[in-house]
Amino acid sequence: MDDVHSIKIEPLGESIYVKPFHMTYIQNGVKKFWDFNVVHDSVSVLLFNVSRKVFVFVRQFRPAVFFNSIPEKEKYLVEAMNTKLPLPPIEQGITLELCAGVVDKEKSLEEIAREEVLEECGYDVPVKHLEKILSYRDSIGIAGDKQTIFYAEITDDMRVSKGGGKPEEGELIEVVEMSETEVKKYLERDELFKQSQQIRCCL
């Protein structure tokens, strides 16, 4: 998980995940503009294993989080692209998250959430066990994508694999189990990532 090297940062070309746009408009007689990205909606699942009374999360390296922890990142990108400069510890780009995935299939949100739990955490959860907590618009200044969070209680009997995501799609995911006490202690940290804020809101 922590073995990340040969990092190369470059401008984004065509992407199936992020599409930038520039909007101009007139509001109350004032001409305005705004830059934003169109990204996929997503689902997240808060999992609680009732067999052993632990929450189940995932841990993975997030390049965007890592990049935004680089001091003077704009200077690094524009003036010193791909040169060897001191970088922050890789750990700064590794996040603890709810099991989640993008909505990129013609399926219900519940079905997509079920598939993500199976792929990432290894639990085969019936759709009827998924309880919707809420939906909201995320990154409202730059994206506005819709996020939907579910809750599911799982048992050890539902575990059919070790999870870890799809290696063929470049996923490298670690399954993490934490007691309620451990989660509360983790959430006392000053700096938390977006998904960690989701964890805080759900508990």
Side-chain angles (χ1 to χ4, degrees), residues 37 51 69 72 111 119 137:
N37 292 313
S51 298
S69 68
E72 300 182 38
E111 283 288 346
E119 293 170 5
R137 293 289 174 180

Side-chain angles (χ1 to χ4, degrees), residues 86-198:
L87 294 175
I90 292 300
E91 291 76 17
Q92 292 193 24
I94 296 177
T95 63
L96 183 73
E97 313 175 10
L98 300 180
C99 171
V102 298
V103 178
D104 58 355
K105 309 177 185 71
E106 292 296 327
K107 296 183 178 181
S108 69
L109 296 181
E110 289 80 5
E111 283 288 346
I112 294 175
R114 176 186 174 277
E115 290 180 358
E116 293 298 333
V117 172
L118 181 60
E119 293 170 5
E120 295 188 0
C121 300
Y123 289 89
D124 190 359
V125 181
V127 168
K128 64 181 181 180
H129 285 207
L130 290 164
E131 177 185 348
K132 180 180 175 181
I133 298 177
L134 59 87
S135 291
Y136 65 97
R137 293 289 174 180
D138 190 39
S139 303
I140 56 176
I142 59 171
D145 52 299
K146 184 178 181 181
Q147 301 236 354
T148 300
I149 304 179
F150 294 93
Y151 170 74
E153 293 186 346
I154 55 179
T155 65
D156 286 341
D157 292 339
M158 294 179 182
R159 193 81 183 268
V160 296
S161 74
K162 64 180 181 179
K166 291 184 174 181
E168 66 273 16
E169 295 182 2
E171 292 183 331
L172 179 59
I173 296 172
E174 176 186 345
V175 180
V176 178
E177 296 183 346
M178 300 174 69
S179 67
E180 182 177 356
T181 300
E182 290 172 326
V183 173
K184 288 181 177 179
K185 184 176 181 180
Y186 171 79
L187 293 178
E188 291 175 356
R189 294 168 50 182
D190 290 335
E191 182 176 336
L192 294 174
F193 305 122
K194 182 195 74 174
Q195 287 279 13
S196 299
Q197 295 288 11
Q198 285 186 343

